[in-house]
Each structure stands twice: as C-alpha cells, then as structure tokens.
Amino acid sequence: MKDSMERVRGTRDFLPKDWRVMQFVFSNWRRVCERYGFEEFEMPVLEYYKMYLDKSGEELTQQVYNFKDKGGRQLALRPETTPSLIRIFEANKNSLTKPVKWYCIPRCFRYEKPQKGRLREFFQLNVDIVEGGEEADGEVLACAVDLMREFGMKKKDFKIFVSNRKIFEGMVRNITDVDILSVVDKFKKVDRKEFLRLLQRKGLSRKQALQVYRVARIGGEPSKTLKVLRDLCSNTEALEGWQELDKAMKALAAYGLMDYCRIDLSVVRGLAYYTGLVFECFGTKGKLRSVLGGGAYKAGKNDAVGFAMGDSVLLELLKRKKLVPELGKKLDFFVAIVGDSVRDRSKAVIDVLRDAGYNVDFDLMGRSLRKQLDYARRIGVDRVVIVGEKELAQNSVRIKEFGVAGERVVRIDELVR
Amino acid sequence: MKDSMERVRGTRDFLPKDWRVMQFVFSNWRRVCERYGFEEFEMPVLEYYKMYLDKSGEELTQQVYNFKDKGGRQLALRPETTPSLIRIFEANKNSLTKPVKWYCIPRCFRYEKPQKGRLREFFQLNVDIVEGGEEADGEVLACAVDLMREFGMKKKDFKIFVSNRKIFEGMVRNITDVDILSVVDKFKKVDRKEFLRLLQRKGLSRKQALQVYRVARIGGEPSKTLKVLRDLCSNTEALEGWQELDKAMKALAAYGLMDYCRIDLSVVRGLAYYTGLVFECFGTKGKLRSVLGGGAYKAGKNDAVGFAMGDSVLLELLKRKKLVPELGKKLDFFVAIVGDSVRDRSKAVIDVLRDAGYNVDFDLMGRSLRKQLDYARRIGVDRVVIVGEKELAQNSVRIKEFGVAGERVVRIDELVR
C-alpha cells in the first residue's frame, strides 16, 4: 500500500492559484451557456454501473471506475453525463417544459493512462437540448463556437469539423454493409495506407476500401462542400442527413459563425449513441486531442443533441495561446494592526469594511508593521488600512495604497462611503 | 441488479430549479469566505483509503466508500476534506505564504443510512486556517457566525456551542483517566440516567460519573461562564484551554458576534483529531443534527483550525424558516419569431442581444406566436422581443413586457443602448 500522504495518480490538487484558473474556465462556460438560454443542472457522481453498460460505448465502459458498495450494489463513478441526463429526463419527462436546454459542469472519472490532456479525474462542460426540433443542431453548434471565442480563441486558432452520420452511412451503404465506423473514427490518426489496411481487415475489398476512403476524405468550406455533397447523396438516409446539416449551417451563417466550421465526412465520433449531427473541435496547431465533441442522439424516444468540453485539452490550448489571464487574490483590503493594544478595536474597522462587502484580511500573527506591509505586498493586495493607537483616538485610520506615495488619514465612518 | 435507469439511494438529481437553490447556497458560502480573506481550493475525489484510516476517526472510516481500482490501489471517495487539506499543505509547505486561509466546497461521500439531513453524496463547505497563530480560533468562529447570518438566520434562530477540549480534559483528568470523549459526545442525545449508565459502563464509579456529568453540564452565556470556569480550571491543561477560549470570545465580542455563541463543555466533537477549540452550531427549533461543526487540530506539526458545514441540514433549516428565496430562470429576453421567413434573420437580433451580454432564449420549434408567448410566460421571462416581417423591413422589432400594457417598437441598433 502506498504512503497515505501521496496523491493518487491522474488526480490533481488545486491550490488557490490553480483553482482560480478553473474558476475562470467555469465562469466562461457558465456565461456563454446562460447567454444561450441553457440552465445548469447536476446529477449524482454515483450511478448504477449497468446504466453505462447499457448506454455508453464499449471503449468507455472499459474505463469506468466501478465497484460493489457495502450493500452489494454495482456502482460506478460517472465517466460521462449523457446517460444520467437521459435518466433524469425520463424520470421527469411529464413535468418538464420542452425543449429542455440544460448544461452542467460535473467532475467525471475515467481509468485511463494519465497523459497530457487526459486525467483520471476531470471537469467537463456538457451542453444538451432535448426535444429541440429542427433548430437544435444549429443552436448547439453556435454555442460551441461561442464557447471557444469567449476564451479569446480566433478563427485561425480552431476549427469545428462537422458532419452528419446519416450522410456518411447513407453513402457508405452503397459500398458495403459492414460496420466500419470504428475504423473511420481513426481516419485522422492514421495514414492512407493504414486506413485502407484497417478497412480490409474488416472484410472490405481493396476497391471498397478505396471508395470508403474517398467518402471519408470529403470536406472543406461548408457552403461549397454542401453543394458538392448534394449530388452525392443518392439515397433517403444520406439526403436526410444533408438537409439537417444544411439547416445547421444556415443557422450558423445567420449568426455569422459558419467560417469557424469545416464539413468533414470522416468525423463520425467513437461513441455508439450518435444518430445524426456529429462534430469535433480541434486547435489548429499542435497535435492535441479534440477540445470538444458531440452530436445528435436519442434520449429515450426523444431527439437530443449536445456536446462535451473537457478542461484539460482546453487549458493546454489556452496556455499555448497565452490566453489564461493573470488571476490574483480577490482581496480588497489588508488591515495592518500596529500593536496589541489596538488589536480588538481593529475588529470594528475590519467589520465596517466586510459589512460593506469588501474582502478583508488582516494580520493574525502579531507581526511588526513592516512585516505586515511585506506580507500584504506579497499576497498582491493593493490597499492596506493601518490601525494605530494615535489615529484610533480620532476614530481614524491610515490608508496606504501600493504604488502611490504617502498615506491618507480617513475617518472610520467615512471609510466605505 | 437494479434497473439501470434508477437513481442510486442516497444520491440526488438536481433539476435546474433544485440546482439554483444549491447555487444560492454556494454563492452565500463563497461571498462570506472571500469577505474573510479565505481563498478557494480543491482536492481530488479519489484519495488513498489508507489516508482516512490514518487520519479520520473510526466512525467515519466505517462509512467510507472504498474499493480497489484496476491497478490494485485501495482508493476511497473523500468522506471529508481535512486529511486532503493536510496532505496538500504538507506537500506545498515551503512555497505557501502563511497563514494559509483556505475554503472549499467539495462533494463528499459517506455510506450512511439515508435520512433527513443525511445523504450518501453531499456538498460541504470547509473553512480552515493553518499556522494562523492565536487569532485563528476567533476568526474561524466569526466566519461561522457570519455564514449563518448571511442566509438571514437571526440570533434567535441558531446558537453556536463552543468549548475547548483542553478545559474539559483538564477538568476530567482530576476525576478519571478513562477516555470518555465518545460518551460525552452523546451528552445532548441521551438523558441524565443514560449518560451516567454509559459512563459507568466505561468503568467509572457512580460518583465519578456524577462528577463528569456536572462538568459536562457547565455552559451558558460566554462572559459569565468564562468567569465561573476560570476558578474551576485547576491544572495547566485546563487553564491553557481557558485562555484560548477567552481569547476567541474576546475576538467575537470585538466583532459584536459573541451573543450568537454559548459556552458548552459537553461539546467535544466525535472526530479523533481535535486538540483545542471545538464548536457546533444548531438551529434553536426542531431536532436536526448540527448545521456546522469544527475545531482546532494539527496539520502535521502545524496548528490548524477549521469547520465544515453540510448542505442538507442547512437547507432543512432554511426551508423551515422560509429563507430559501424564489429563484427564477436567469433569462433576460425571449425572442418570439413570427413565421419561418424571418427565422434566419431573427438570429441577427438574438446575436445583438447575446453580444451585449444578455441571456436570450428563442423558439426552436416553429410554434405560433400565441404559443411562444405562453411559453415565455411559463418559463418566467419578463421581456419578449417579437421579430416579424413588417418590423424587420424597418430594421425594428416589437418588445412586449409582461405586466405592462401594449408593446413598443424599437430599432434593432437601439436595442441594447
């Protein structure tokens, strides 16, 4: 057994300076989602393991932390949130106003090999619309683009690769009946030769494999690609997918956001449950995993569409682009106490400031004034209130602002006006 | 195995309306802690099980969710945060500016019998000072009082019962050497007869038990009780405890918060690790468990003091006092779209509003204007922007405010001025 004071591999400690970065991420996530009219919800960490066996793809269920609780239940730590969302939607279906537009920022858990952009505990934004009708695809995509923009990412910094599984599946149905989605999901990660080899291993002839390759390669600027694709969609399924994708792109164009997207038929997404729209967002430089991904799926019998955005790839991208701001302590005042004789009375000064809503810290340790000022400077506070016997006798204190010469004497009852 | 669509016992689903209540709790928690100069941090959910075996009391470790991960590690879901705080403090000791004033709002996990005010997954505010010197006790107590007040709880609604273990242990050392803390911890839950019986079962004579009973019964208004206690503290240990308690109460008095507290020697707290100050807060009515509790402990070789406040007892108290506000959707505008012909162009209107930072939802489903207005009213939004062909031709929209007669026509470029 490990030393009990060690951190578990793949988990993170967040010191206040680290947690401020996470809060910055969370508040950007919240701001954009609320702006799009999504409401935040939450779900348990502990769910029945069987729910993920039933709902999640095989790759994911292999990564689930599962165990038997003291009552013999097979439980799991949530590895994703879609199954919980579906469960909650089903349980409350009749009382919910439709469409349901929900987001959440849960911590999720996966037993993966820890590496850059992959941790065993991570935070993940989830944005979903259930029963949203034809407009839902476009709205969710627009929200995804705006999330990236909210962090300061420009058009040149990222691209969202969009497709519709129905187009790909419809087109491939003319070539083969074999389920090749898991191979196509690897399209970007392997070269042409390896891609063809993998398809042939699935039972396709070289000719079929080449045909699939040509379909997977289709992509580019949305308007042009949609025009080209229209003629290639030769069956009902593909055409239905085309119409959905066209509608989503028109909505994005209306928002002025279409340029952030590329159509890319090789995007199929690994997870089992997608039924229509599928998309993934990548930074344009470096070889990081996707920063967000999602698509359309079924919540019971209801149409749903959504995506997830993890914290670790996002933070890696933001750091490379220097888009993580300097975030200092949220402290407004430090109160320096000159001598123990004024210690109790200085509480009244602190109280006045806190009562007015200011964040106030003070010396707990009876240090000298010089040391208190050093400390205040070190923790990055701008203003120090100095409480001394002489000024207190006049119901006053001195205020020192770092970077400003001298000090001011202010009456306590005028401190917060 | 259970139906995979069932919720696990002792866990909660938070629909947006429920989550708004939690957010209300969290934001009050955060506001008060920041005001006192505490900084938020976070720790893993997964920690080594051994850490809790080493650091937490026996009662708690029995409630820990523990399991072996796929790599054979004995892991646990955090049942509390103090051991993690100590671990993180020790790992970063040399780089941290002292005192460390930290708070966190983690989700914690305990395998308990689910009942009112007890859940298997819960949120818990934790507030701690490490290396805070003599002033730390008072500061932490003041923060606890102000947390209760922030929710609108008055002096008559709650009391914080405060003691110092050194006083009790010092006084009891004159009576017996037997460790009776676990019995004293039950003082408020059992009657006199049962209390004496439990002490005698520990090996005390009836006379000794009665003496302990008389000590545990000491308590009341702080100034008076401290005066009475001073003469009863006959050894170094008790006297040291008395001085610490006196100092903490003086700090509270200086803040004008002493009246919220009662001294109560029967407060010893169940957990093993407390070394000095101990306190618990109860609502004055009803028979709920403590809403917060804490005390002084050791973080390695360093003095620390802190407390925890769970969400469930707090919410139960607030509900009884009708102190949970009505919390509506945070939506500023609903955009009603009159006819499919303006659907894409209405996106420009939505975009203007969202760009200005407003939270905007709109009809995704192509419903009639009347149905859209019904929907808007039902979700509780005050203002509806109506986008119709006629007004759009003049670069304008109509604005309808619920509760205000009539509608206004506003130019789109003047919408957000």
Side-chain angles (χ1 to χ4, degrees):
Chain A
M1 200 175 275
K2 291 270 189 159
D3 172 13
S4 77
M5 293 301 271
E6 213 174 293
R7 188 162 43 79
V8 175
R9 200 165 171 229
T11 68
R12 287 173 289 180
D13 292 336
F14 298 93
L15 296 181
K17 66 178 168 53
D18 310 314
W19 193 240
R20 284 198 289 269
V21 174
M22 294 310 303
Q23 295 282 31
F24 156 76
V25 170
F26 299 160
S27 66
N28 276 351
W29 282 352
R30 288 204 166 93
R31 197 179 317 115
V32 176
C33 291
E34 302 275 344
R35 203 189 288 156
Y36 273 80
F38 289 91
E39 295 182 279
E40 191 168 351
F41 80 115
E42 246 288 344
M43 73 277 292
V45 170
L46 294 168
E47 297 270 12
Y48 283 110
Y49 181 43
K50 191 170 183 306
M51 183 169 86
Y52 301 108
L53 292 178
D54 290 354
K55 307 270 170 193
S56 302
E58 200 195 323
E59 192 194 338
L60 194 54
T61 48
Q62 281 168 6
Q63 296 167 350
V64 174
Y65 278 98
N66 64 305
F67 64 95
K68 226 179 229 167
D69 79 0
K70 296 182 209 297
R73 299 171 191 85
Q74 275 287 357
L75 301 185
L77 304 183
R78 60 186 177 200
E80 59 157 341
T81 63
T82 309
S84 303
L85 171 91
I86 295 172
R87 181 179 63 64
I88 296 173
F89 177 80
E90 288 284 315
N92 298 277
K93 204 157 49 174
N94 298 327
S95 62
L96 289 171
T97 309
K98 265 69 90 183
V100 159
K101 289 177 70 176
W102 285 354
Y103 76 97
C104 57
I105 306 183
R107 195 176 249 191
C108 293
F109 304 83
R110 291 187 195 170
Y111 191 80
E112 294 188 275
K113 195 169 176 302
Q115 52 183 286
K116 200 152 240 171
R118 260 182 217 239
L119 287 158
R120 290 183 176 166
E121 290 187 0
F122 55 96
F123 293 94
Q124 192 185 58
L125 169 69
N126 289 267
V127 179
D128 290 274
I129 303 181
V130 186
E131 282 287 273
E134 296 186 339
E135 290 271 318
D137 285 5
E139 198 61 9
V140 155
L141 271 173
C143 182
V145 175
D146 263 350
L147 276 160
M148 295 299 287
R149 299 206 311 170
E150 193 76 8
F151 287 96
M153 303 283 283
K154 309 281 181 207
K155 223 168 268 184
K156 63 173 173 36
D157 299 329
F158 72 96
K159 280 283 169 297
I160 301 193
F161 298 92
V162 189
S163 184
N164 191 302
R165 267 202 189 174
K166 292 176 193 164
I167 301 179
F168 186 84
E169 289 183 336
M171 288 174 71
V172 164
R173 205 171 306 287
N174 296 337
I175 306 166
T176 175
D177 285 333
V178 177
D179 178 5
I180 51 166
L181 284 187
S182 61
V183 176
V184 180
D185 194 39
K186 295 200 179 74
F187 184 78
K188 283 204 186 63
K189 289 171 207 151
V190 300
D191 62 11
R192 179 174 178 274
K193 202 175 145 192
E194 173 69 5
F195 184 70
L196 296 175
R197 205 184 61 77
L198 288 171
L199 286 173
Q200 284 171 270
R201 255 226 300 230
K202 282 270 178 188
L204 272 62
S205 68
R206 182 163 172 86
K207 196 185 151 200
Q208 286 174 315
L210 272 166
Q211 285 176 306
V212 169
Y213 174 77
R214 269 179 231 121
V215 173
R217 225 177 42 172
I218 295 172
E221 192 281 322
S223 318
K224 275 185 223 155
T225 313
L226 278 165
K227 249 179 233 154
V228 175
L229 264 179
R230 166 128 230 183
D231 299 327
L232 298 172
C233 291
S234 60
N235 55 25
T236 327
E237 188 179 10
L239 209 61
E240 199 180 303
W242 186 90
Q243 276 157 351
E244 289 177 13
L245 191 55
D246 185 57
K247 198 166 179 68
M249 285 301 140
K250 284 220 171 81
L252 279 182
Y255 279 132
L257 299 177
M258 198 176 67
D259 288 353
Y260 293 88
C261 297
R262 289 289 172 270
I263 286 175
D264 182 338
L265 288 206
S266 77
V267 175
V268 293
R269 305 280 299 152
L271 288 171
Y273 47 63
Y274 292 110
T275 53
L277 179 78
V278 272
F279 58 98
E280 280 170 354
C281 176
F282 288 90
T284 42
K285 275 184 196 152
K287 291 216 176 275
L288 292 170
R289 304 196 313 150
S290 69
V291 58
L292 67 86
Y297 60 96
K298 287 281 180 190
K301 285 175 186 146
N302 306 279
D303 288 320
V305 57
F307 64 89
M309 184 179 198
D311 64 331
S312 26
V313 175
L314 173 67
L315 277 171
E316 195 52 42
L317 266 182
L318 295 179
K319 274 175 204 157
R320 290 180 186 190
K321 293 275 166 198
K322 303 208 188 320
L323 288 172
V324 180
E326 286 284 329
L327 299 157
K329 261 196 176 187
K330 288 177 280 182
L331 205 61
D332 300 304
F333 288 99
F334 182 83
V335 173
I337 300 168
V338 190
D340 264 349
S341 65
V342 296
R343 186 156 277 279
D344 278 345
R345 279 176 290 159
S346 68
K347 296 279 194 313
V349 177
I350 295 163
D351 199 37
V352 164
L353 291 168
R354 285 181 181 162
D355 240 27
Y358 289 111
N359 299 338
V360 183
D361 201 1
F362 67 96
D363 175 55
L364 292 172
M365 298 157 98
R367 288 185 274 210
S368 70
L369 177 59
R370 200 173 59 89
K371 282 200 175 152
Q372 292 182 58
L373 291 176
D374 279 353
Y375 174 82
R377 205 177 274 119
R378 204 157 66 237
I379 62 176
V381 68
D382 291 330
R383 287 172 295 183
V384 179
V385 174
I386 303 169
V387 182
E389 193 67 70
K390 207 180 85 194
E391 290 82 9
L392 262 195
Q394 327 253 332
N395 290 316
S396 299
V397 293
R398 280 182 289 154
I399 295 187
K400 161 94 199 136
E401 291 193 44
F402 290 126
V404 177
E407 297 167 2
R408 293 179 289 139
V409 175
V410 178
R411 284 182 57 89
I412 293 169
D413 55 10
E414 284 171 353
L415 207 46
V416 297
R417 298 248 173 104
Chain B
M1 199 175 277
K2 292 268 187 160
D3 172 13
S4 78
M5 293 302 271
E6 215 174 292
R7 189 162 42 81
V8 176
R9 200 165 171 229
T11 69
R12 288 173 288 180
D13 292 336
F14 298 92
L15 297 180
K17 67 177 166 52
D18 310 315
W19 192 241
R20 283 198 290 269
V21 174
M22 293 311 303
Q23 295 281 30
F24 155 76
V25 170
F26 299 159
S27 66
N28 276 352
W29 282 352
R30 287 203 167 93
R31 197 179 317 115
V32 176
C33 290
E34 302 275 345
R35 203 189 289 156
Y36 273 80
F38 289 91
E39 295 182 279
E40 191 169 351
F41 79 115
E42 246 288 344
M43 73 276 294
V45 169
L46 294 168
E47 297 270 12
Y48 284 108
Y49 181 43
K50 191 170 184 305
M51 184 169 84
Y52 301 108
L53 292 178
D54 290 352
K55 307 271 170 193
S56 302
E58 200 194 325
E59 192 193 338
L60 194 53
T61 48
Q62 280 168 8
Q63 297 167 349
V64 174
Y65 278 99
N66 63 305
F67 64 94
K68 227 180 227 166
D69 79 0
K70 296 183 209 295
R73 299 171 191 84
Q74 275 287 357
L75 300 186
L77 304 183
R78 59 187 177 198
E80 59 157 341
T81 64
T82 309
S84 303
L85 170 88
I86 295 173
R87 182 180 62 65
I88 297 173
F89 177 80
E90 288 283 315
N92 298 277
K93 204 157 48 172
N94 298 327
S95 62
L96 289 171
T97 310
K98 265 71 91 184
V100 159
K101 289 177 70 176
W102 285 355
Y103 76 97
C104 57
I105 306 182
R107 195 175 248 190
C108 292
F109 304 84
R110 291 187 197 171
Y111 190 80
E112 294 188 274
K113 196 168 176 302
Q115 52 182 288
K116 201 153 241 170
R118 259 183 219 239
L119 287 159
R120 290 184 177 167
E121 289 187 1
F122 55 95
F123 293 95
Q124 192 185 58
L125 169 68
N126 289 266
V127 179
D128 289 274
I129 303 181
V130 186
E131 281 287 274
E134 296 185 340
E135 291 272 316
D137 285 6
E139 198 60 8
V140 154
L141 272 173
C143 182
V145 175
D146 262 350
L147 277 161
M148 296 298 288
R149 300 206 310 169
E150 193 76 8
F151 286 96
M153 303 284 283
K154 309 279 182 211
K155 223 168 267 184
K156 62 173 173 34
D157 299 329
F158 71 96
K159 280 283 169 295
I160 301 194
F161 297 92
V162 189
S163 184
N164 191 302
R165 267 201 188 174
K166 291 175 194 165
I167 301 180
F168 186 84
E169 289 183 335
M171 287 173 71
V172 164
R173 204 171 308 286
N174 296 336
I175 306 166
T176 174
D177 284 333
V178 177
D179 178 5
I180 50 166
L181 284 187
S182 62
V183 176
V184 179
D185 194 38
K186 295 200 179 73
F187 184 77
K188 283 204 187 62
K189 289 170 207 152
V190 300
D191 62 11
R192 179 174 177 274
K193 201 174 144 193
E194 175 68 5
F195 184 70
L196 295 175
R197 206 184 59 77
L198 288 171
L199 285 173
Q200 284 170 270
R201 254 225 302 227
K202 282 270 178 188
L204 272 63
S205 69
R206 183 164 170 85
K207 194 183 153 206
Q208 286 174 314
L210 272 167
Q211 284 176 306
V212 170
Y213 174 77
R214 268 179 233 123
V215 174
R217 226 177 43 172
I218 295 172
E221 192 280 321
S223 318
K224 275 186 225 155
T225 313
L226 277 165
K227 248 179 235 154
V228 175
L229 264 180
R230 165 127 230 185
D231 299 327
L232 298 173
C233 290
S234 60
N235 56 23
T236 327
E237 189 179 10
L239 209 62
E240 199 181 302
W242 186 89
Q243 275 156 351
E244 289 176 14
L245 192 55
D246 185 58
K247 196 165 181 71
M249 285 301 140
K250 285 221 170 82
L252 279 182
Y255 278 132
L257 299 177
M258 199 176 67
D259 288 354
Y260 293 88
C261 298
R262 290 287 173 269
I263 286 175
D264 183 337
L265 288 207
S266 77
V267 175
V268 293
R269 306 279 300 150
L271 287 171
Y273 48 62
Y274 292 112
T275 53
L277 179 78
V278 273
F279 58 99
E280 280 171 353
C281 176
F282 288 90
T284 42
K285 274 181 196 156
K287 291 218 177 272
L288 291 171
R289 303 197 313 151
S290 68
V291 58
L292 67 85
Y297 61 95
K298 287 280 179 189
K301 286 176 187 144
N302 306 280
D303 287 321
V305 57
F307 65 89
M309 184 179 198
D311 64 332
S312 25
V313 175
L314 174 68
L315 277 171
E316 196 51 42
L317 266 183
L318 295 179
K319 274 175 203 155
R320 290 180 185 190
K321 293 275 163 197
K322 304 208 189 317
L323 288 172
V324 181
E326 287 283 329
L327 299 156
K329 261 195 174 186
K330 288 178 280 183
L331 205 62
D332 300 303
F333 288 99
F334 183 83
V335 173
I337 300 168
V338 190
D340 263 349
S341 66
V342 297
R343 185 157 276 279
D344 278 345
R345 278 176 291 159
S346 68
K347 295 280 194 314
V349 177
I350 294 163
D351 198 37
V352 164
L353 291 168
R354 285 181 180 162
D355 239 27
Y358 289 111
N359 299 338
V360 184
D361 201 1
F362 67 97
D363 176 54
L364 293 172
M365 299 158 97
R367 290 185 271 210
S368 71
L369 179 59
R370 201 174 58 88
K371 283 201 173 150
Q372 291 182 58
L373 290 176
D374 279 353
Y375 174 81
R377 206 177 274 118
R378 204 158 67 238
I379 61 176
V381 69
D382 292 330
R383 288 171 295 183
V384 178
V385 174
I386 303 169
V387 183
E389 193 67 69
K390 208 179 85 193
E391 291 82 9
L392 261 195
Q394 324 255 333
N395 290 315
S396 299
V397 292
R398 280 183 288 153
I399 295 188
K400 161 95 198 131
E401 291 193 43
F402 290 125
V404 177
E407 297 167 2
R408 294 178 289 138
V409 174
V410 177
R411 285 182 57 90
I412 293 170
D413 53 11
E414 284 171 354
L415 206 47
V416 297
R417 297 250 173 102

